[in-house]
Amino acid sequence: MERILLPVSLEARFQRERHINQMLRLGLLLAVLCFTGAAFAQEVVDRFNRANSNTVGGGWTETETGGSGASVNGNGLRLQRTGTGNNRQYVTRTTPGTYNTTLNQNNCTLTWAFSFRQSESEGELSGFDAGDDGMAVVLAGSNANLTLGQGYAVVLGETGNTDRVRLVRYNNGLDADVNLTTIVQAGNFDNDYLDVRVTYVPSTDTWSLFYRNNGSAGFGDPLTAATSAGSAVNSTYTGTSLPIIGCLWNHDGDTGESAVFDNIHVPGGLPTVPSIAPPSANICNGASIGLTASASSTTTTRVTFSSTGGPNTVSTSGPIDASIYPWNITASGLPASGVTVESVTLNGVIHSYPDDLDILLQSPTGTNVILMSDVGGDPNLTSPGATLVIMDGESALPDAAQITSGIYAPTNIGTPDSWPTSPGPNSLTQASPSLSLFTGDFNGTWGLLIRDDANADGGSIASWSITFTYNSTITYTWSPATGLSGTTGATVTASPASTSTYTVTAAHSGNGCTRSADVTVTVGGCTYYSRATGDVSDAIWSTTPSGMPAPSAVTFTAANNMVVQNGHIVTNDGATPVSNLTVENGGTLVLDAGSTLTVNGTSATIDGTLTANDNSAFALAGSGAKTSRWPRRPPSGTSRSTQPMAPRPRGASTCAAPCCCKTAISTPRARRSIW
């Protein structure tokens, strides 16, 4: 028990604390989706952007027939034949995504994305029986031994001369064609570079498969793969926990066979279950209480903004700016901080001498980053043009060799470079450009400045886009609306007329995944003093604010929640326990000399006046947290006669209550403690 001993005739008016709403609007998400057409919430599992090694690392477990069966090679995962004879190599790990691995228990669309390619020519791919050739990406599996268990995978390789990319469910592993059942399939591929995206809608058990065939041009961004292979319903294993992801290469005994995997993404998943403060509440009739929800997310939101107005052409009469200069994209709806530029994509890049192209990106705050300059030499980029994804951490664009579609780091071979036309920076020396140089608020106009720095050659770019990433924000929705100050935002005020249960739903900004929690606000159980003045022990308490005449009035007991209303004066002259205490603004509670008022329960709210006489005591007791309202230091220049004041804490004990309760104060009759 923490006791507060108050001095002679000290009056204290406890000031009201106000709740401030923290509004996180669903409008933010809607604005992002409206302007971009592409918003994703994925976790990047691995881009394999690390040094070549026979140890894959990155949390993957390798199952291989030799030391180089699974390796990182050329910023990709390579699975290849080692030793002799027919075999299979694979890597697995537990998904790092925060989605529910029992897939049908999620309440939002799940998206997987990846890139893959194998080395065999058309007709050589034959499937997953022993001695055949086939590759697979396991989206969701039950067993880290990929020759066992159940799950869903995307595969390439089947009997016959048609090799389609297939979304399959499998049973008893991926080591026999008979174990695979096709859900969706399309195309006819051999050793093409493929980007793949798969979605699953839990509410309908609908699977969809999308792909992009890059031919021999290298991998692109699989999250933007848009060619539809179709959709189908399948629920065979969606009610089973499937925590394993993986990559597999099934092969015969031919030397030099391999499969390459890259850019692996899994769904971002769910926010945490929201906590609500307080977790439950008891209020009096006509009273209110603030409810605050809190949830968190480790999911990354990706938002892409795309250009309009292309193609943008460069004539042969250089040096010259492109026909659209600057080529602008307006980004909006992004958080004001914590955002990064993940990538910039240049589509349909054509030029008869690409070494002449100088391309710079300028942010709304004026930061300039060179995307490519003096690269590619003189091998032509011909129609339909290359797709270049510029991203930190990738390999540089070639200096003089042929540029092909792919993912590259910002690259500048020679400095300085010049963009003399406003808003260009004129001469710029930037030998090591990086997208990480962009900082600050990313909302606003982003300009792509394209210039040909020499004569006689020209070209065009069809379009461009920019992708931002940030930690997913959380929005809150409350229901039902009855008795609430609002239905959105982290904090609301509840004023129900009767006991009510409210549900708060926390949703991700990126994918709409939600989790919910409930809080019950119990109304009643309070006693109100029903006369203007009197003693705590008087049998004139009421269970409603309006009061009731004797003999219907009740006697105050220790279990009561005590409410002293506006205009009423109640005196405590003994040792009185109370469950919770409220002194309304305009109400007065008097502690007689030598009396003690002990507040149990969870709250002591004094918005009116507390008058304490000699050697009286006010105590907070019981277990659990107390929410309290206490007086603040009076404003500068306010006299004691016009501003009730609380005693200044003295003594060495430490208050156990979490907010503002004072340390024990002992003030003799002859002394007063003042601020």
Side-chain angles (χ1 to χ4, degrees):
M1 177 185 297
E2 188 68 29
R3 300 176 62 84
I4 304 174
L5 304 178
L6 303 177
V8 178
S9 302
L10 178 65
E11 294 185 350
R13 178 169 295 162
F14 290 64
Q15 305 295 322
R16 184 182 302 273
E17 296 177 345
R18 303 184 184 275
H19 294 286
I20 301 173
N21 286 342
Q22 303 169 359
M23 305 303 288
L24 298 174
R25 301 289 184 180
L26 282 173
L28 171 63
L29 170 61
L30 297 177
V32 171
L33 293 176
C34 176
F35 282 97
T36 69
F40 305 98
Q42 270 72 48
E43 295 302 317
V44 177
V45 180
D46 214 331
R47 290 195 176 101
F48 304 100
N49 291 335
R50 45 189 179 269
N52 292 352
S53 174
N54 287 339
T55 299
V56 175
W60 299 95
T61 298
E62 305 172 28
T63 301
E64 54 195 333
T65 56
S68 60
S71 64
V72 174
N73 188 288
N75 288 350
L77 167 66
R78 182 181 299 275
L79 302 179
Q80 62 185 358
R81 172 184 176 271
T82 59
T84 59
N86 307 325
N87 221 305
R88 58 187 58 87
Q89 326 288 328
Y90 59 87
V91 298
T92 59
R93 61 164 295 166
T94 300
T95 178
T98 57
Y99 58 96
N100 194 322
T101 57
T102 303
L103 302 182
N104 65 11
Q105 297 303 299
N106 294 279
N107 52 26
C108 56
T109 300
L110 305 182
T111 301
W112 294 262
F114 60 90
S115 304
F116 67 175
R117 175 186 182 266
Q118 58 80 42
S119 60
E120 293 283 54
S121 59
E122 186 173 2
E124 293 295 321
L125 284 172
S126 48
F128 293 86
D129 291 335
D132 289 341
D133 295 302
M135 63 176 174
V137 172
V138 175
L139 309 177
S142 63
N143 199 312
N145 183 341
L146 297 187
T147 65
L148 302 172
Q150 305 164 329
Y152 294 90
V154 175
V155 303
L156 185 65
E158 57 186 303
T159 57
N161 290 326
T162 301
D163 293 308
R164 294 162 288 196
V165 59
R166 295 184 290 154
L167 172 65
V168 303
R169 61 174 173 86
Y170 66 89
N171 188 31
N172 297 322
L174 290 166
D175 58 351
D177 289 334
V178 70
N179 296 344
L180 279 59
T181 301
T182 298
I183 300 172
V184 179
Q185 62 185 7
N188 182 22
F189 311 101
D190 43 41
N191 53 12
D192 301 299
Y193 287 85
L194 300 177
D195 299 321
V196 178
R197 179 167 59 93
V198 176
T199 64
Y200 167 71
V201 181
S203 60
T204 59
D205 283 313
T206 300
W207 295 84
S208 300
L209 176 64
F210 304 87
Y211 67 92
R212 177 173 51 240
N213 182 6
N214 301 304
S216 60
F219 296 135
D221 181 359
L223 286 173
T224 62
T227 302
S228 175
S231 300
V233 173
N234 186 273
S235 61
T236 306
Y237 304 125
T238 59
T240 302
S241 179
L242 304 172
I244 301 301
I245 60 174
C247 303
L248 177 142
W249 172 234
N250 187 80
H251 58 81
D252 59 23
D254 293 345
T255 302
E257 298 174 352
S258 65
V260 176
F261 306 81
D262 206 353
N263 307 315
I264 298 175
H265 299 70
V266 296
L270 302 167
T272 59
V273 175
S275 61
I276 304 175
S280 63
N282 292 82
I283 63 172
C284 303
N285 294 306
S288 301
I289 189 167
L291 303 174
T292 299
S294 177
S296 61
S297 167
T298 58
T299 295
T300 299
T301 295
R302 288 177 173 77
V303 183
T304 299
F305 296 84
S306 298
S307 65
T308 59
N312 195 353
T313 59
V314 178
S315 75
T316 58
S317 58
I320 194 170
D321 299 326
S323 59
I324 307 174
Y325 183 98
W327 197 358
N328 290 336
I329 287 176
T330 299
S332 61
L334 299 171
S337 61
V339 183
T340 62
V341 178
E342 182 180 60
S343 64
V344 179
T345 300
L346 309 175
N347 298 302
V349 181
I350 298 171
H351 202 277
S352 55
Y353 196 90
D355 199 272
D356 292 350
L357 275 177
D358 292 339
I359 302 178
L360 175 143
L361 181 62
Q362 187 175 84
S363 76
T365 60
T367 301
N368 298 298
V369 172
I370 296 173
L371 302 182
M372 56 183 291
S373 177
D374 305 316
V375 296
D378 62 358
N380 290 358
L381 287 172
T382 58
S383 182
T387 296
L388 306 180
V389 180
I390 309 301
M391 178 182 293
D392 286 347
E394 299 290 339
S395 300
L397 284 154
D399 181 3
Q402 176 73 55
I403 295 175
T404 60
S405 294
I407 304 176
Y408 301 96
T411 308
N412 186 15
I413 299 301
T415 61
D417 300 279
S418 180
W419 289 265
T421 306
S422 178
N426 204 346
S427 180
L428 177 64
T429 299
Q430 195 175 73
S432 301
S434 171
L435 299 181
S436 65
L437 295 174
F438 293 120
T439 59
D441 187 347
F442 289 174
N443 291 289
T445 301
W446 292 77
L448 191 70
L449 280 60
I450 304 171
R451 182 171 175 80
D452 190 306
D453 65 8
N455 195 13
D457 291 283
S460 64
I461 297 178
S463 63
W464 74 284
S465 63
I466 182 170
T467 297
F468 301 95
T469 63
Y470 56 90
N471 288 336
S472 293
T473 55
I474 304 293
T475 58
Y476 300 92
T477 305
W478 298 81
S479 64
T482 303
L484 293 180
S485 60
T487 57
T488 59
T491 299
V492 296
T493 299
S495 309
S498 59
T499 297
S500 302
T501 297
Y502 295 104
T503 299
V504 63
T505 299
H508 270 318
S509 60
N511 60 6
C513 287
T514 64
R515 276 183 169 170
S516 300
D518 295 334
V519 58
T520 298
V521 179
T522 302
V523 179
C526 299
T527 53
Y528 302 81
Y529 200 71
S530 58
R531 293 184 186 173
T533 60
D535 190 87
V536 170
S537 60
D538 294 341
I540 50 175
W541 293 82
S542 171
T543 57
T544 62
S546 59
M548 58 181 69
S552 300
V554 298
T555 300
F556 186 84
T557 69
N560 293 136
N561 296 321
M562 180 179 181
V563 181
V564 180
Q565 300 180 81
N566 177 22
H568 291 194
I569 301 173
V570 178
T571 300
N572 177 55
D573 57 6
T576 304
V578 56
S579 178
N580 294 294
L581 171 66
T582 300
V583 180
E584 295 181 348
N585 189 18
T588 299
L589 176 62
V590 179
L591 305 184
D592 256 1
S595 69
T596 299
L597 183 68
T598 302
V599 181
N600 298 288
T602 60
S603 66
T605 303
I606 303 181
D607 293 319
T609 300
L610 176 64
T611 301
N613 292 295
D614 294 4
N615 299 315
S616 57
F618 182 90
L620 299 180
S623 61
K626 298 286 190 300
T627 57
S628 313
R629 291 176 181 165
W630 300 95
R632 293 187 292 270
R633 188 185 302 270
S636 177
T638 303
S639 68
R640 286 192 63 196
S641 60
T642 60
Q643 173 67 43
M645 293 178 288
R648 184 175 185 176
R650 296 176 187 266
S653 64
T654 302
C655 177
C659 173
C660 310
C661 71
K662 309 299 184 183
T663 57
I665 304 166
S666 178
T667 53
R669 181 184 181 92
R671 298 180 61 189
R672 291 188 179 182
S673 175
I674 62 174
W675 292 115

